[in-house]
Amino acid sequence: MKAFMRIAGCVAAVWGCAVGAQEDHRPASTEPPTEDLAQPTEDLAQPAQADTPRKEPHMEKPSMGFYALVGGGVEGYAGQLSPRVGTGFTYGLSVGYFALPYVAVELGYNGSINNLDQNGKMVPRGDLGSGPDLVRNGGQLLVLGVAPTGRLQPFVLTGIGFDRYTVRHEAVQGTAHFRDDTAGYIPAGVGLRFQLTPRLIADARVSYDFLFDQDFASTRATPNALDGRYMGVLQIGGSY
């Protein structure tokens, strides 16, 4: 009996050791640690950011269509008329239309007031009468060739016009005599047009007028192309 109990105790001890050994050799779990998955990966490539388009500087485009100008300046005569007609004030207004970015057609009125000289010697203002001695009123049709270069636009002009001369005071002595007359001319000139705002424009121009005749002023020599009229005008207006 005692021998049986000893054998049973040995078997129980061997069984306990076997179970403990089996627990010690159980394979570890293959699942990755949770805290490792929670860590962000720094080596991942960052998404490329789209390039922001660069804004070009804003440029005002010249206005097309109709425009109107008003202004004034100085006017004088060249050649034989230079010593007989003093430099005076000119004024005018015009309405134009840009049919193309580089071509405009302009219809305008212009006038001037001048004092007369007697035999090439300046007559003091008021000797022939109060106010200007010679008054000119006229109209012209111009064609402008404009360089479409943005806000500042140089241009050339030509066309045809007519004048009505009114002599208010005559120099009765000497060889220089003036009378009322109507005559034509061909203008030629250059200028600069500046777009102040999309609707406001400034215009500066100089021109020379080739006169068809000079019957309003008696001269000894036959008139030629150098016996003409020059003017410089500054105008301001708007486009529509």
Side-chain angles (χ1 to χ4, degrees):
M1 185 64 179
K2 291 181 179 181
F4 177 79
M5 293 296 293
R6 290 175 181 174
I7 293 172
C10 290
V11 172
V14 173
W15 176 261
C17 291
V19 172
Q22 186 177 4
E23 290 290 336
D24 294 337
H25 289 84
R26 180 176 296 175
S29 175
T30 57
E31 295 181 3
T34 304
E35 60 180 5
D36 293 338
L37 292 177
Q39 297 294 331
T41 304
E42 297 180 357
D43 296 334
L44 294 178
Q46 297 294 331
Q49 297 181 354
D51 294 338
T52 303
R54 186 176 64 180
K55 294 183 179 180
E56 297 295 333
H58 178 69
M59 296 294 292
E60 297 286 354
K61 293 184 178 180
S63 297
M64 297 286 294
F66 289 96
Y67 64 89
L69 298 169
V70 61
V74 296
E75 176 181 290
Y77 288 80
Q80 302 177 68
L81 297 175
S82 177
R84 294 174 170 82
V85 183
T87 302
F89 174 69
T90 183
Y91 44 87
L93 58 88
S94 58
V95 176
Y97 178 73
F98 267 93
L100 297 170
Y102 48 85
V103 176
V105 180
E106 191 174 291
L107 180 64
Y109 157 82
N110 63 77
S112 66
I113 52 176
N114 303 79
N115 283 328
L116 300 178
D117 295 351
Q118 183 174 307
N119 294 333
K121 298 179 181 179
M122 180 63 71
V123 177
R125 185 180 180 87
D127 280 9
L128 297 181
S130 60
D133 303 324
L134 179 65
V135 178
R136 179 184 65 83
N137 292 286
Q140 60 185 9
L141 178 63
L142 300 178
V143 177
L144 282 65
V146 184
T149 54
R151 297 179 63 185
L152 185 62
Q153 299 177 309
F155 62 86
V156 296
L157 64 88
T158 189
I160 192 170
F162 73 93
D163 291 319
R164 177 61 183 176
Y165 298 94
T166 302
V167 179
R168 301 178 69 240
H169 310 113
E170 170 65 298
V172 295
Q173 300 177 357
T175 58
H177 299 284
F178 299 86
R179 63 180 183 180
D180 296 350
D181 188 39
T182 301
Y185 66 93
I186 295 178
V190 297
L192 284 174
R193 172 188 171 100
F194 185 66
Q195 196 83 28
L196 299 172
T197 69
R199 295 299 181 188
L200 185 63
I201 56 177
D203 181 294
R205 61 181 70 181
V206 293
S207 63
Y208 183 85
D209 298 339
F210 297 91
L211 305 180
F212 289 168
D213 61 61
Q214 301 171 5
D215 292 341
F216 74 97
S218 61
T219 55
R220 293 178 177 178
T222 302
N224 56 49
L226 297 180
D227 301 321
R229 180 176 63 231
Y230 59 87
M231 67 176 65
V233 180
L234 177 63
Q235 304 177 100
I236 194 167
S239 55
Y240 309 95

